[in-house]
Amino acid sequence: MIQAKNPMHVDAAHLPDARGHFGEFGGRFVPETLVPALDELTAAFHAAMADPAFQAQYSELQASYTGRPTPITFARRLTEHLGGAQIYLKREDLAHTGAHKINNALGQALLAQRMGKPRIIAETGAGQHGVASATAAALLGQECHVYMGSVDMARQRPNVFRMQLLGAEVIPVESGTRTLKDAITEAIRDWVTNVENTYYLMGSALGPHPYPLMVRTFQSVIGIEARQQMLEQTGQLPDVCIACVGGGSNAIGLFHAFRDDEAVDLVGVEAGGRGIASGEHAARFADPNMGRPGVLHGTRSFVLQDSDGQIMNTHSVSAGLDYASVGPEHAYLRQMERATYTLATDDEALHAFQMLCQLEGIIPALESSHAVAEAIRRAPTLPHDAIVLVNLSGRGDKDLDTVLKALE
Ligand SMILES: *Cc1c(COP(=O)(O)O)cnc(C)c1O
């Protein structure tokens, strides 16, 4: 058995309270029928994390199947071009299935197996989490059903086909705007009905307790590795860690290991879409009119909503950042001033996408390009010995059609 290089743990120093609150955010806003299921899940998660056999099983798969640890790459030409801080990339794009989502999908699928739940359900927007879930389910021989809005299915044909090839059933959702938020609603409905034999595999650091804690823990491998790798390669910690924030899982996965390193700035980048003034964006924190605390999909966080509390339609060139709420721990980190949040517009992300292609030979996901855009903005303002670490959450092969259309 391959030794766990980076044993994961549930960080006792930064736990939410017993009901899953991160300060005034998080919690559990669910139908009464789901409370026992969430209690069972919470207990099973903590028991698994305390079990060396579960840790070993997860670490072994992360090494032999996902391809962890993913490397750190010094972006030499981008750094020289910008003439400021040194830019390093954490290469989650090199993980199996091409993004960080597999870290969480594998962890939760193993947990489902341990809990004796043979049926996995998941929701997906762009299809990336659906593909990661279908992958993990295929590996472990589980039945997998993925809820997906019919509008998203039409937009993301290749991912629908991928999920089907991997043996999953993709269930079209025809309610509401027929996109991600409606798919989550349907998945929760399925779970309420079939909770006896069904595991709900949530895709980001969202939803009712214990999901935000659980997803953070499975994604924390990103930051644990990156922190050690930066110390080995540069002899110091980065000055700034930057990650894009959709639901917030790749960002919390990077940030968590640096949480107590107070000299390290943590910067999350939201989707600025066509700009705040246009109203077409997914910047929950940056829009002072529409972004306010509220409850969506079982958790309290910042939510884009109109004055009646109706959830706003969002827009981003990157499907993975296109969601009206954000993980509750990010709302908390922002309120505590431990992390700051900024945005990159569609145009800035597309520009960053092209720069990384041409200067580094890396085609990044459009989501990750938002983080790169912030590094491009920030690096020239910093001294040459400063270090900026960017989480490259995924590869851009899935985005080629979108980029082609946008550049025409
Ligand atoms: C899904 C996705 C994201 C956004 O999700 P988070 O939970 O915020 O990480 C970012 N990057 C890529 C490549 C994705 O697939």
Side-chain angles (χ1 to χ4, degrees), residues 99-101 128 203-205 244-251 320-321 365 367-368 393-395 398:
H100 68 290
K101 287 200 170 74
Q128 296 304 109
S204 190
C244 64
V245 183
S249 70
N250 87 90
L321 303 185
E367 291 84 1
S368 322
S393 55
R395 66 175 182 231
K398 67 184 177 58

Side-chain angles (χ1 to χ4, degrees), residues 152-163:
D152 288 336
M153 283 179 72
R155 286 195 287 210
Q156 308 287 344
R157 295 286 312 151
N159 274 343
V160 173
F161 189 45
R162 272 187 197 103
M163 287 183 265

Side-chain angles (χ1 to χ4, degrees), residues 40 47 101 106 138 144 163 179 192 362 367 405:
E40 181 196 8
K101 287 200 170 74
L106 267 185
C144 182
M163 287 183 265
T179 58
V192 172
I362 297 170
E367 291 84 1
K405 282 199 194 93

Side-chain angles (χ1 to χ4, degrees), residues 28-339:
R28 266 184 193 171
F29 297 83
V30 295
E32 209 47 48
T33 45
L34 278 186
V35 172
L38 289 167
D39 283 341
E40 181 196 8
L41 180 58
T42 308
F45 168 64
H46 285 289
M49 296 311 292
D51 180 354
F54 182 84
Q55 291 272 354
Q57 193 183 18
Y58 178 70
S59 302
E60 196 281 326
L61 282 181
Q62 285 281 45
S64 69
Y65 188 71
T66 309
R68 302 207 74 89
T70 59
I72 294 270
T73 301
F74 175 47
R76 185 180 309 279
R77 293 189 66 221
L78 181 64
T79 296
E80 282 168 8
H81 179 83
L82 296 169
Q86 299 161 45
I87 299 175
Y88 285 80
L89 308 171
K90 176 62 172 165
R91 301 291 306 279
E92 292 301 294
D93 60 315
L94 296 178
H96 178 48
T97 70
H100 68 290
K101 287 200 170 74
I102 191 73
N103 301 323
N104 170 52
L106 267 185
Q108 288 199 55
L110 281 173
L111 186 59
Q113 189 179 60
R114 187 183 156 100
M115 292 173 73
K117 310 255 182 193
R119 181 173 178 270
I120 303 282
I121 57 170
E123 81 294 335
T124 199
Q128 296 304 109
H129 174 58
V131 168
S133 299
T135 300
L139 179 72
L140 301 179
Q142 294 158 325
E143 182 186 327
C144 182
H145 307 269
V146 181
Y147 286 91
M148 188 171 190
S150 58
V151 168
D152 288 336
M153 283 179 72
R155 286 195 287 210
Q156 308 287 344
R157 295 286 312 151
N159 274 343
V160 173
F161 189 45
R162 272 187 197 103
M163 287 183 265
Q164 289 165 344
L165 284 173
L166 293 161
E169 184 202 5
V170 183
I171 305 169
V173 174
E174 302 289 356
S175 55
T177 53
R178 294 174 284 154
T179 58
L180 176 61
K181 77 174 157 51
D182 314 294
I184 299 179
T185 304
E186 281 308 312
I188 293 175
R189 192 165 297 163
D190 178 319
W191 201 34
V192 172
T193 317
N194 300 300
V195 69
E196 282 304 311
N197 72 340
T198 298
Y199 184 97
Y200 180 15
L201 208 171
M202 186 160 267
S204 190
L206 291 164
H209 179 63
Y211 284 103
L213 172 66
M214 210 159 59
V215 176
R216 174 185 94 186
T217 305
F218 289 128
Q219 292 293 0
S220 67
V221 65
I222 301 171
I224 292 170
E225 285 178 7
R227 191 175 183 283
Q228 186 186 329
Q229 289 167 317
M230 291 306 288
L231 287 172
E232 283 164 10
Q233 288 186 32
T234 71
Q236 63 186 90
L237 292 178
D239 297 274
V240 191
C241 290
I242 304 177
C244 64
V245 183
S249 70
N250 87 90
I252 207 74
L254 177 68
F255 292 175
H256 193 68
F258 296 95
R259 173 110 176 231
D260 294 326
D261 301 312
E262 292 193 355
V264 179
D265 288 341
L266 306 176
V267 180
V269 187
E270 297 185 287
R274 301 193 174 98
I276 296 296
S278 73
E280 297 178 51
H281 61 77
R284 290 87 21 136
F285 292 134
D287 188 331
N289 299 317
M290 301 302 213
R292 294 194 308 280
V295 171
L296 183 61
H297 296 134
T299 191
R300 184 165 190 277
S301 184
F302 265 64
V303 181
L304 284 168
Q305 51 192 312
D306 68 15
S307 50
D308 298 327
Q310 289 285 4
I311 305 306
M312 229 176 85
N313 288 329
T314 50
H315 161 81
S316 171
V317 71
S318 63
L321 303 185
D322 201 350
Y323 180 63
S325 186
V326 56
E329 197 174 1
H330 287 290
Y332 179 60
L333 291 176
R334 177 172 176 269
Q335 190 175 57
M336 293 205 321
E337 301 182 2
R338 178 60 192 96

